[in-house]
């Protein structure tokens, strides 16, 4: 029985190595890899995030290591967000209640900017598609990711306040210039829409002694 257990463990390691074999080229550093399980139509698959040569992407592998879907390059380095009181840079969570988890990840896209992507499974095409983020007051301003242009530690600039609402820290442009504030995006009818902005009050000035 012990020999069988050892053999099965060895086979699992070989299979795992084969699944990631295409990620590193001879003479290069091994890329940073993060693996999360996801269940699609009763089958457990793996969401694999890789960072190689300053490019971050995601792919979904079947249990035997075959690539089912792969994203384009999403950014440069991983960035944290907060969800369910946990700080993470990759999560699989059913946001819309259809029993199939969405893939949520965040990445840096500039010196201070970070972006969040939320991918939803499309059963007709058997792949994932990015959910759009838009603005109630600016219907033409739509893109397939959300941006925060004010960084904060421990995922504090991109926070899921509940399963369908994500709050991002960014600049709000007023008559007096840009001020820090929160944008609230709510998931409804298949896309996230910003329907609320909230300026962060300035810190009270210290009294002079």
């Amino acid at each position: 029985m012990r020999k069988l257990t050892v053999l099965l463990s060895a086979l699992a390691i070989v299979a795992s190595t084969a699944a990631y074999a295409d990620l590193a080229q001879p003479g290069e550093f091994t890329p940073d890899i993060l693996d999360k399980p996801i269940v699609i139509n009763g089958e457990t698959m793996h969401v694999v995030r890789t960072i190689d040569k300053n490019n971050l992407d995601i792919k979904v592998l079947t249990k035997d290591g075959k690539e089912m879907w792969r994203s384009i390059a999403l950014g440069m380095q991983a960035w944290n967000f907060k969800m369910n009181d946990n700080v993470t840079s990759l999560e699989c969570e059913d946001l819309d209640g259809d029993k199939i988890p969405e893939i949520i990840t965040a990445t840096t896209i500039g010196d201070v900017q970070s972006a969040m992507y939320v991918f939803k499974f499309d059963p007709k095409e058997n792949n994932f598609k990015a959910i759009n983020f838009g603005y109630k007051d600016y219907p033409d301003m739509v893109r397939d990711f959300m941006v925060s242009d004010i960084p904060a530690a421990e995922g504090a600039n991109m926070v899921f306040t509940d399963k369908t609402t994500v709050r991002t820290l960014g600049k709000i442009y007023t008559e007096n210039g840009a001020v820090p504030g929160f944008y609230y995006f709510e998931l409804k009818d298949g896309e996230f829409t910003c329907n609320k902005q909230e300026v962060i009050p300035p810190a009270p000035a210290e009294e002079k002694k």
Side-chain angles (χ1 to χ4, degrees), residues 133-142 183-186 191-197:
F133 287 81
Y135 295 81
K136 180 181 178 181
D137 296 332
Y138 304 96
D140 294 332
M141 191 174 175
V142 178
Y183 291 83
Y184 292 84
F185 290 84
E186 182 183 4
E191 66 179 46
F192 285 93
T193 302
C194 179
N195 50 25
K196 179 183 176 183
Q197 299 178 19

Side-chain angles (χ1 to χ4, degrees), residues 6-158:
V6 172
L7 176 60
L8 290 174
S9 298
L11 289 173
I13 292 172
V14 170
S16 176
T17 303
Y20 303 140
D22 65 325
L23 300 179
Q25 300 298 323
E28 294 181 351
F29 292 104
T30 301
D32 176 38
I33 298 171
L34 180 61
D35 184 338
K36 288 257 185 179
I38 186 171
V39 178
I40 302 173
N41 297 330
E43 180 180 351
T44 299
M45 301 187 186
H46 294 271
V47 178
V48 180
R49 187 203 67 206
T50 61
I51 306 171
D52 194 13
K53 294 182 179 180
N54 223 29
N55 283 321
L56 181 149
D57 68 10
I58 289 175
K59 63 182 180 180
V60 176
L61 303 178
T62 62
K63 60 183 179 181
D64 55 358
K66 293 181 180 179
E67 185 176 304
M68 187 267 277
W69 170 80
R70 188 170 196 157
S71 74
I72 60 171
L74 303 175
M76 297 178 291
Q77 297 294 324
W79 188 263
N80 285 332
F81 61 92
K82 196 169 183 180
M83 185 174 207
N84 300 327
D85 293 325
N86 297 318
V87 176
T88 182
S89 59
L90 177 66
E91 193 57 81
C92 300
E93 184 85 15
D94 182 9
L95 303 179
D96 56 9
D98 67 351
K99 308 299 183 183
I100 299 178
E102 278 68 50
I103 300 172
I104 307 143
T105 194
T107 175
T108 59
I109 57 172
D111 293 336
V112 297
Q113 294 89 2
S114 52
M116 173 181 286
Y117 290 84
V118 181
F119 295 98
K120 180 176 177 58
F121 182 67
D122 183 343
K124 293 182 179 179
E125 298 189 17
N126 198 40
N127 62 16
F128 282 83
K129 294 181 178 179
I131 296 177
N132 283 335
F133 287 81
Y135 295 81
K136 180 181 178 181
D137 296 332
Y138 304 96
D140 294 332
M141 191 174 175
V142 178
R143 52 191 170 192
D144 59 1
F145 55 91
M146 180 190 74
V147 172
S148 170
D149 53 9
I150 300 179
E154 299 300 317
N157 64 324
M158 291 187 284

